[in-house]
Amino acid sequence: VPQETFSKQGMDVAVTKPTAITKPVAIRFESGSSELTQRAKKQIDDQMVPFIENNGKAYIEISGNTDSVGSDAVNRPLSQRRASVVVDYLVKQWDFPAARFRVSGNGSSKPICNEGNPGADGLSVEDCRAENRTTRVGVFSQ
């Protein structure tokens, strides 16, 4: 089986189009933290790795997100670190090529749950915030 080759040039072309598929993967982080827990690693192994393998020729975007607590000046770099630790784990633990991944940090700008009205999703405010402290995986179409 030929090994796929990933490059910066290939990524530059891939990112000109929006991601074809985005999968929210509940890689949760404690408030203010970008540390991967054992549970987070298991979720990467069980949910993210098969998804990436099933899209074997595609470039992948890993985006980090935060809840709305704190300023954008704090949240955006934190969300970037969250995505970076996931990519580092995928590269070191699973031997995916680093050039295959684009890391982005959304801060609190792309919430899954509306923290202003968490009841709409049947959640408490804290559970809603936890939903937003996640990492998502997106696939760029070829």
Side-chain angles (χ1 to χ4, degrees):
V1 179
Q3 178 70 26
E4 289 299 325
T5 303
F6 296 96
S7 66
K8 177 169 180 353
Q9 293 80 10
M11 176 65 79
D12 290 345
V13 170
V15 301
T16 61
K17 297 174 239 157
T19 53
I21 311 164
T22 301
K23 176 182 175 76
V25 178
I27 308 303
R28 293 221 175 111
F29 294 89
E30 292 298 316
S31 184
S33 172
S34 61
E35 185 178 332
L36 282 179
T37 63
Q38 288 305 316
R39 183 177 184 164
K41 290 175 184 177
K42 180 167 178 19
Q43 288 169 310
I44 292 170
D45 298 346
D46 294 350
Q47 295 180 41
M48 217 177 251
V49 169
F51 181 74
I52 293 167
E53 288 176 339
N54 288 339
N55 291 282
K57 295 181 180 185
Y59 285 88
I60 304 291
E61 177 176 58
I62 304 292
S63 60
N65 302 275
T66 66
D67 59 30
S68 64
V69 176
S71 69
D72 194 54
V74 170
N75 284 338
R76 201 161 291 274
L78 175 59
S79 63
Q80 184 89 17
R81 284 193 307 276
R82 287 176 174 171
S84 292
V85 299
V86 171
V87 169
D88 288 347
Y89 178 80
L90 288 165
V91 169
K92 289 178 179 138
Q93 191 69 30
W94 289 93
D95 293 327
F96 286 116
R100 186 173 181 188
F101 296 99
R102 176 184 187 201
V103 172
S104 66
N106 298 323
S108 61
S109 68
K110 295 187 177 178
I112 291 175
C113 177
N114 177 358
E115 293 175 33
N117 185 15
D121 290 320
L123 298 171
S124 69
V125 172
E126 190 42 50
D127 287 343
C128 182
R129 286 179 176 154
E131 289 288 315
N132 291 334
R133 291 191 301 265
T134 60
T135 303
R136 297 172 209 153
V137 58
V139 175
F140 291 104
S141 55
Q142 293 290 46

